[in-house]
Amino acid sequence: MAWQGCATPGKQQAEPEKVVNIYTHRHYDTDQQLFDAFEKQTGIKVNVVKAADDELINRMESEGPNCPADLLITVDAGRLYRAQERGLLQTVTSPSLDAQVPANLRDPQGHWYGLTRRARVIAYSKDRVKPADLSTYEALADAKWKGKVLVRSSDNLYNQSLMASILSYNGEEATLGWAKGIVANMAREPKGNDRDQVKAIAAGEGDVALVNTYYIGLLSTSKDEAERQAAAAIRIFFPNQEGRGTHVNISGAGIARFAPHPEYALQLLEFLTGKEAQSAFASANFEYPVNPAVEADSLLKSWGTFRSDTLNLSVLGKLNKDAVQIFDKAGWK
Amino acid sequence: MEVRASRTPALHQLSGWRRRVKSLNGWQIASALAAVISLIPLMFILVHLAEPASDTWKHMADYLLLPYITRTLLLMLGTGALTLLLGIPAAWLTASCAFPGRKIIEMLLALPLAIPGYIMAYSYAGLLGSGIMNLAGLSAVLSFALYPYVYMIARSAFLQQSASLREAARSMGLGQGGAFWRISLPMARPAIIGGLALVMMEVINDYGAVKYYGVPTFTAGIFRAWFSMDDLNAAVRLSACLLLVVFALLSLERYQRGAARISEVRTHAPARIQLQGLKAFAALAVCALPVLAGFLLPAVKLLHWNFQADSPDYVNLANALKNTLFLAAAAAALCVCVALLLAWTARISHEQKAHLSVRLATLGYAVPGAVIA
């Protein structure tokens, strides 16, 4: 199923229609602007279907060879791995993709490539918490944080992937112990999304929260006064800097196994990991670029540089189910 | 029904079968077909139930099943009770009384149906903060979205009640309140319970609101098994548990209706009770409250958010609107056709089998979206 080669404009004999169909979980305005720019540059029309990762994967599976999707874009590496496991993606190799995406942010065989990075960090109250008290994800399970930890539900992919990474480093027993410790320290039952956890710190419901970086960027530039105030009430801490580094997940893409227009999909993938698109992801949506040649947004840079976990992200997919079961055993709703 | 002695039993059976097939008309066959289609998801579940239980199922039974059941039941009870409180008084007042503003409020009361439960939940979290994001808060929010089911059905039941009965009750010394509690309400009970059953099925069906409020119910569990744990076997087993609850609910509704079959001949349009002054104002307030909670407040919050957005994307909005309207129209047309078919079949045939297919087809509504998906 491997499809080799760069996007050469010469071979379009079989497919006169210049379109590329995308199934994506990303629902940001930036993406549409980038697709428009791609269309202008190449004349290839971009059709978009938006839904949640799992729904898209199930849909591709049931559509089988008739699936119109060329490119699957998810917001979690674990889901790309799942699509790969079910044989829904094909491998591609391209020198420009290899240059634009670091090795740990793509599948070793080329089934999928990262588009953006999101760090899962500790947001803390700037008034009630000293950064010196923070160190690792593991340390949030200490009894000193009793009644102070905010985190969303275990249904959430970002939490599942964080748990999978902890599981891969610490083993099942220690990870279950950690999860139980977090549950015991929760300021309230898990509810809402990442933004709601930050708002809860501002409202004094808890002191520390596990959140994705780009939500904080979105909050601090929000039109809503209350959201900006919530972002102003917190600071960001990158955990596990002394050890393996902060957990990083990707939003990424893979070319569908039965893609009707694989060349255009590859062209789009190269475009999205290229400089222009990467700066757009960074500045408009506050995600960290995957392309090492592109700098992060100034707000992101103001949080400082950090060491990120270099665990190959396919591990998040392999351990996803075990991670979910640990949540349940620990009573993490 | 007599059998000639010369016929063998087998032949007899054959001709009986043929006679029965002949007696089936096109309507009945079509109805049976509709029933079969709406039951396909059920068959699917039954087939998969035969497979041995997976480890995931054992894991879920150990850790999740009981909390799912408790939470789902509590949410059904809470939401159900609140929809009655919001729906019945408004239904009775608009059906039996006259007061200024009645005609407008009568229509406004149905509006919350236009706001999906999830949007309602999200806008209330925006209005009131995370304090309401729990089981009690969710019951309230969902009842704001769902009370119109009770309101509309109860109202039409009240409207159909004969004035003469109520007048007789009054003449026998029952006050306005007595007539309501002892005549109007008991007579409308089967209809109200029907509306309540719809509310509860919507509650079971909700996925977005329970997820956002952190109150995972059965439906959330089905998705967790299917998506997070990637295990269809466990999802199917959960679906089967959920269907048991739904069937119990439907049987209760049917039993209720069977026990109290009330028919009446309408004599004349009932005279409305004229309300004035403070009483009229109170009636208006009782009817306005559900509209405020179920439509005005969330709509204002949604508009507020819309104006805050950088550049509202009107092109996408128009497209989404077009798709929604098309889907709604197509689905509505299909529903009406199937419903007409079922009602017509039930009407022209008095046979058990036709009623069975009509009854089976109505089950389709009760099967939660998660199960069908």
Side-chain angles (χ1 to χ4, degrees):
Chain A
M1 260 300 129
W3 187 84
Q4 302 267 333
C6 314
T8 43
K11 38 172 169 171
Q12 312 155 320
Q13 68 284 24
E15 196 56 67
E17 204 188 2
K18 291 189 90 179
V19 295
V20 59
N21 302 319
I22 305 178
Y23 280 10
T24 179
H25 188 164
R26 291 174 59 92
H27 47 83
Y28 315 109
D29 295 343
T30 329
D31 292 45
Q32 192 53 53
Q33 285 156 17
L34 286 172
F35 298 152
D36 292 346
F38 177 74
E39 206 169 313
K40 227 177 227 169
Q41 278 181 25
T42 62
I44 300 168
K45 190 174 178 337
V46 182
N47 298 319
V48 182
V49 171
K50 289 182 208 169
D53 288 346
D54 293 313
E55 289 165 28
L56 293 172
I57 291 172
N58 281 343
R59 182 164 164 181
M60 286 174 78
E61 199 169 27
S62 64
E63 284 169 341
N66 299 321
C67 179
D70 293 304
L71 197 64
L72 170 72
I73 304 182
T74 75
V75 294
D76 172 70
R79 288 307 181 268
L80 285 169
Y81 176 80
R82 180 175 288 177
Q84 173 190 341
E85 282 283 281
R86 295 195 189 172
L88 300 174
L89 302 178
Q90 57 175 287
T91 56
V92 284
T93 51
S94 136
S96 73
L97 279 180
D98 287 351
Q100 287 169 175
V101 184
N104 69 310
L105 303 180
R106 55 179 146 93
D107 172 50
Q109 297 156 290
H111 284 98
W112 45 263
Y113 293 82
L115 297 176
T116 63
R117 294 183 296 148
R118 311 74 189 274
R120 200 146 182 81
V121 297
I122 301 174
Y124 62 92
S125 159
K126 73 174 162 87
D127 300 326
R128 299 187 297 274
V129 175
K130 287 192 290 282
D133 291 337
L134 296 164
S135 58
T136 59
Y137 297 110
E138 284 82 349
L140 287 182
D142 288 350
K144 74 169 174 179
W145 296 109
K146 194 160 186 62
K148 299 202 160 77
V149 177
L150 291 154
V151 65
R152 70 197 286 187
S153 120
S154 60
D155 269 329
N156 175 252
L157 287 177
Y158 309 138
N159 277 347
Q160 291 174 8
S161 283
L162 172 65
M163 181 71 93
S165 79
I166 293 175
L167 182 59
S168 84
Y169 284 107
N170 300 347
E172 189 170 338
E173 199 178 325
T175 307
L176 178 59
W178 175 76
K180 284 182 174 161
I182 294 288
V183 171
N185 286 348
M186 281 181 186
R188 61 180 195 192
E189 300 226 296
K191 58 183 169 185
N193 51 32
D194 275 9
R195 295 179 200 224
D196 293 314
Q197 313 311 319
V198 175
K199 289 179 195 167
I201 295 183
E205 280 189 74
D207 288 349
V208 288
L210 285 169
V211 292
N212 274 9
T213 35
Y214 69 98
Y215 284 114
I216 296 161
L218 293 174
L219 280 177
S220 35
T221 53
S222 168
K223 294 263 170 183
D224 188 337
E225 171 76 26
E227 295 203 326
R228 286 199 306 276
Q229 280 174 359
I234 59 118
R235 295 286 179 267
I236 286 176
F237 183 85
F238 292 98
N240 296 65
Q241 290 303 293
E242 306 295 316
R244 62 182 187 259
T246 297
H247 169 67
V248 167
N249 200 341
I250 53 159
S251 177
I255 298 180
R257 177 173 169 194
F258 298 109
H261 319 96
E263 300 168 45
Y264 299 149
L266 178 59
Q267 218 174 321
L268 179 58
L269 198 49
E270 288 171 346
F271 171 81
L272 291 175
T273 49
K275 274 192 176 175
E276 179 193 344
Q278 288 287 303
S279 347
F281 282 136
S283 61
N285 210 37
F286 305 104
E287 294 173 275
Y288 288 96
V290 289
N291 189 329
V294 176
E295 284 197 16
D297 177 74
S298 56
L299 177 70
L300 270 62
K301 280 200 280 190
S302 76
W303 298 332
T305 52
F306 66 97
R307 178 170 167 198
S308 57
D309 188 350
T310 52
L311 179 73
N312 191 288
L313 296 180
S314 56
V315 174
L316 306 182
K318 283 180 197 146
L319 294 177
N320 181 271
K321 190 172 167 179
D322 297 326
V324 172
Q325 298 207 351
I326 288 178
F327 279 118
D328 294 336
K329 286 178 186 162
W332 184 326
K333 274 210 289 185
Chain B
M1 270 294 158
E2 60 205 84
V3 185
R4 265 191 260 154
S6 62
R7 281 197 169 181
T8 64
L11 254 180
H12 164 67
Q13 214 170 356
L14 190 68
S15 78
W17 183 75
R18 223 184 260 150
R19 198 163 48 232
R20 237 172 288 156
V21 169
K22 263 190 204 152
S23 78
L24 276 178
N25 55 37
W27 293 110
Q28 289 170 339
I29 293 171
S31 281
L33 211 64
V36 166
I37 290 173
S38 69
L39 288 179
I40 286 173
L42 288 185
M43 315 271 181
F44 178 83
I45 286 175
L46 286 179
V47 168
H48 277 264
L49 266 185
E51 294 168 2
S54 63
D55 288 344
T56 313
W57 167 250
K58 283 168 200 144
H59 165 84
M60 294 195 98
D62 284 350
Y63 295 101
L64 299 173
L65 201 54
L66 198 61
Y68 281 153
I69 292 174
T70 326
R71 250 179 252 132
T72 309
L73 286 180
L74 284 176
L75 194 63
M76 283 163 64
L77 282 178
T79 310
L82 287 170
T83 53
L84 293 183
L85 278 179
L86 290 170
I88 293 178
W92 186 78
L93 286 168
T94 53
S96 323
C97 303
F99 53 89
R102 173 183 65 83
K103 286 205 167 131
I104 297 171
I105 207 89
E106 205 170 274
M107 287 182 289
L108 293 180
L109 274 161
L111 275 183
L113 278 185
I115 304 185
Y118 173 69
I119 303 291
M120 188 79 82
Y122 202 77
S123 56
Y124 265 94
L127 277 168
L128 302 176
S130 67
I132 60 152
M133 291 169 71
N134 51 44
L135 207 146
L138 187 59
S139 299
V141 168
L142 285 180
S143 74
F144 298 159
L146 299 175
Y147 80 81
Y149 283 119
V150 170
Y151 160 75
M152 293 199 296
I153 293 178
R155 182 168 170 274
S156 85
F158 287 139
L159 277 176
Q160 274 167 18
Q161 288 173 6
S162 153
S164 34
L165 263 175
R166 217 161 54 209
E167 280 155 14
R170 298 292 310 274
S171 72
M172 291 174 85
L174 279 179
Q176 217 52 273
F180 171 75
W181 288 110
R182 297 183 55 184
I183 306 289
S184 297
L185 194 60
M187 280 175 61
R189 192 189 62 189
I192 291 172
I193 290 185
L196 197 60
L198 290 182
V199 168
M200 297 208 168
M201 288 173 202
E202 289 279 347
V203 170
I204 292 177
N205 225 331
D206 177 85
Y207 175 55
V210 296
K211 196 169 165 183
Y212 186 61
Y213 274 42
V215 186
T217 55
F218 242 99
T219 300
I222 292 173
F223 280 112
R224 190 181 180 90
W226 188 18
F227 289 150
S228 292
M229 313 233 205
D230 198 14
D231 189 325
L232 201 57
N233 179 298
V236 161
R237 269 154 215 278
L238 279 175
S239 304
C241 294
L242 188 53
L243 284 177
L244 276 181
V245 177
V246 170
F247 288 155
L249 214 61
L250 281 180
S251 321
L252 180 78
E253 193 261 336
R254 227 156 259 291
Y255 172 76
Q256 265 285 327
R257 217 192 301 169
R261 204 176 289 273
I262 298 157
S263 61
E264 56 179 304
V265 182
R266 231 172 110 175
T267 45
H268 56 95
R272 291 181 177 275
I273 303 158
Q274 300 291 326
L275 298 180
Q276 261 135 22
L278 207 58
K279 273 188 178 170
F281 180 76
L284 191 62
V286 167
C287 295
L289 188 75
V291 179
L292 189 73
F295 187 76
L296 272 181
L297 283 177
V300 165
K301 185 69 198 172
L302 290 173
L303 279 178
H304 172 69
W305 271 329
N306 183 51
F307 286 127
Q308 262 176 0
D310 255 339
S311 52
D313 188 348
Y314 290 115
V315 179
N316 266 340
L317 190 67
N319 274 335
L321 197 65
K322 205 174 68 192
N323 289 343
T324 310
L325 286 179
F326 174 74
L327 266 184
L334 189 68
C335 286
V336 169
C337 291
V338 174
L340 275 178
L341 174 74
L342 292 174
W344 179 244
T345 310
R347 169 100 203 176
I348 61 171
S349 69
H350 297 280
E351 284 175 68
Q352 201 58 37
K353 57 182 176 261
H355 283 283
L356 184 70
S357 60
V358 171
R359 195 173 287 189
L360 284 177
T362 29
L363 272 182
Y365 181 85
V367 179
V371 178
I372 293 179

